[in-house]
Amino acid sequence: MRHGIGGFLASTALAALLCGCTMGPEFGKPDSWSPDHWFETPQAATLPVPTNEPARITVAEPIDTQWWTLFGDAELTSLETRAATANLDVKAAAIRLAESREQRRIVNAEDFPQVNGDASYTRERPSSEGIFGLLGGGGGAAPQGANSIPSKSTGLNLHPFNLWQYGFDASWELDLWGKIRRSIESADASIEALAYAQRATLVSLEAEVARDYVTLRVVQSELRIEKENLDSATQSQWLTQQRNHAGLASDLDVANASAQVASTGADIPQLEQRQAETINQLNFLLGVPPGSLDAELLTPAPVPPVPPKAPIGLPSELAHRRPDIRQAEAQLHAQTAQIGVAEANFYPSVTLTGSLDLQALHVANLADWGAHTYTLGPSISIPIFQGGKLTGNLELSKAQAQEAAIAYQRTVLNAWTEIASALA
């Protein structure tokens, strides 16, 4: 007994030492290219600046997360605030983030012992032609009664019996090769990626709300001008008709004035349609039914003035500021950790198992210590032949990591392309 305990402790100590081994490559933060200064547009220097408007420049100053306040428009600020909490895409992104956290909890549970309680009651009838017939009475001689069943092979009577049992069983797979640790690492990176995805959705929403709002005010300004032009054209038509009646203008002059009225009025329905479409788009972005913002937005308001200075931050901070780049980086991290999971599957897995049960033919005897039974010991599983499944999983994980690395490079390149285009 002493040697058995010593061997068990030695095995446990060896397993604890081996638990520090983790398969797969360690993730390293990828390098992202960034210029020393923002892109300059040569054409911009040659363009004349209107004397009635101040020059507008970009400056490398920190960006305010509520950048729309630079426009000084209270209605725009109100729309942005409501959209951030009511937009359906943002809500869906938040739910996906919550789902990933629960998935991480599920993965993390594999690192702990699994304990289950069980209880059962069965009524069994031994077979007179089965293994009890070989025991020569091991099945027990039944007392004379209606339930007695004569055995042809032994001449004994076997009878049905009750079996009561309850207890606990536990199992714990030792994370010898870091399979579970890599799975948790991948899950953590996935949570980070979805958090940045939610942030990217919110940033895109804020930009879309501002763009649609400014478009709405521009359309309303154009609509006001067209209506004023229509009034002027209509007044000019009336004057031309009056002059025609007095013999001071020809019928051609009247026809030209009428054509000018028709031409000017033709643009108004198109502008009204654009106004309705833009308001409907803002309704959608704020997660409200069509028509909900009509009373609020149909009243024309001035176009928000462009701020004289636009803070754009430092080029070196772009990779840390843009959520799409951070999301791509986290996705690369998650796929890199999966390589370690696939490599760990090539190695043996060791599981510690144990159970403690109470078993008796009569329920009243379950309280007796003599009714207890237990099992305790480790089990090992060694992959010998899987038909190429493990190799396929490993190569698949490597290919997915390479794809994620290319996606990261593409995201960074696309970010700088968008910036260069925006500054131009």
Side-chain angles (χ1 to χ4, degrees):
M1 181 66 177
R2 184 174 302 171
H3 293 287
I5 294 177
F8 175 75
L9 294 177
S11 301
T12 304
L14 178 61
L17 292 175
L18 291 175
C19 282
C21 181
T22 304
M23 308 304 297
E26 294 293 335
F27 177 74
K29 187 177 179 64
D31 295 330
S32 58
W33 175 85
S34 62
D36 296 331
H37 52 80
W38 293 111
F39 301 102
E40 296 180 355
T41 306
Q43 295 86 348
T46 61
L47 294 177
V49 178
T51 56
N52 60 341
E53 292 187 8
R56 296 179 174 91
I57 60 174
T58 57
V59 293
E61 295 180 358
I63 297 178
D64 187 359
T65 56
Q66 296 183 342
W67 49 265
W68 54 86
T69 57
L70 295 174
F71 292 97
D73 192 298
E75 180 63 29
L76 174 59
T77 300
S78 175
L79 292 174
E80 293 283 6
T81 303
R82 284 177 284 171
T85 58
N87 180 262
L88 298 181
D89 290 336
V90 174
K91 288 183 177 180
I95 293 177
R96 287 192 292 269
L97 178 59
E99 290 174 353
S100 68
R101 290 187 175 126
E102 298 307 319
Q103 291 174 351
R104 196 268 187 196
R105 178 182 298 182
I106 295 173
V107 173
N108 186 65
E110 298 296 328
D111 201 27
F112 294 90
Q114 309 297 310
V115 181
N116 299 297
D118 57 81
S120 65
Y121 160 76
T122 57
R123 182 168 177 81
E124 300 182 17
R125 181 260 189 200
S127 172
S128 60
E129 302 300 332
I131 59 175
F132 279 97
L134 300 176
L135 298 178
Q144 297 297 326
N147 292 331
S148 299
I149 303 174
S151 172
K152 296 179 181 179
S153 58
T154 63
L156 298 177
N157 292 328
L158 303 178
H159 64 93
F161 60 91
N162 299 324
L163 183 62
W164 301 83
Q165 180 173 314
Y166 73 90
F168 301 91
D169 64 84
S171 63
W172 183 25
E173 181 180 353
L174 301 179
D175 192 19
L176 301 181
W177 317 109
K179 175 182 177 180
I180 298 177
R181 292 193 296 276
R182 287 300 190 194
S183 297
I184 295 175
E185 179 184 351
S186 178
D188 288 335
S190 297
I191 292 176
E192 185 179 5
L194 287 174
Y196 286 121
Q198 181 190 20
R199 177 59 185 165
T201 302
L202 181 60
V203 169
S204 299
L205 168 68
E206 293 167 347
E208 185 63 25
V209 169
R211 183 182 300 111
D212 289 344
Y213 178 76
V214 173
T215 299
L216 172 64
R217 295 314 186 192
V218 170
V219 169
Q220 289 177 338
S221 177
E222 293 176 354
L223 184 59
R224 176 184 56 81
I225 294 174
E226 287 296 325
K227 288 182 177 180
E228 291 176 353
N229 291 338
L230 179 60
D231 291 340
S232 299
T234 303
Q235 181 68 19
S236 177
Q237 179 190 29
W238 181 83
L239 291 175
T240 304
Q241 290 174 344
Q242 296 301 315
R243 295 180 63 193
N244 177 259
H245 294 327
L248 301 176
S250 64
D251 293 339
L252 179 60
D253 294 334
V254 174
N256 289 336
S258 299
Q260 183 64 33
V261 171
S263 175
T264 304
D267 295 334
I268 293 178
Q270 298 178 5
L271 292 173
E272 290 177 340
Q273 180 181 355
R274 287 184 59 192
Q275 176 182 245
E277 291 174 349
T278 306
I279 294 178
N280 285 335
Q281 180 63 19
L282 287 170
N283 283 322
F284 175 76
L285 294 177
L286 268 67
V288 295
S292 300
L293 299 176
D294 287 356
E296 182 178 347
L297 297 178
L298 279 177
T299 302
V303 178
V306 179
K309 293 183 179 181
I312 56 177
L314 297 174
S316 59
E317 297 175 350
L318 176 74
H320 301 282
R321 189 173 69 244
R322 284 188 59 126
D324 54 346
I325 296 180
R326 301 296 297 272
Q327 177 187 357
E329 179 184 329
Q331 289 172 338
L332 175 59
H333 187 180
Q335 292 298 336
T336 303
Q338 286 297 322
I339 297 177
V341 176
E343 288 186 359
N345 288 328
F346 282 87
Y347 296 88
S349 61
V350 177
T351 304
L352 302 180
T353 60
S355 64
L356 174 62
D357 297 283
L358 297 174
Q359 188 180 89
L361 296 176
H362 299 283
V363 66
N365 295 334
L366 288 176
D368 297 339
W369 179 245
H372 81 282
T373 176
Y374 69 88
T375 60
L376 179 65
S379 63
I380 184 171
S381 176
I382 304 176
I384 298 177
F385 178 74
Q386 301 289 337
K389 176 182 177 181
L390 300 181
T391 302
N393 285 334
L394 177 58
E395 295 303 321
L396 175 62
S397 299
K398 291 180 178 179
Q400 290 174 337
Q402 293 175 355
E403 181 184 3
I406 294 175
Y408 174 81
Q409 295 175 356
R410 182 185 183 279
T411 302
V412 174
L413 180 60
N414 179 69
W416 284 113
T417 302
E418 289 180 350
I419 290 173
S421 299
L423 292 179

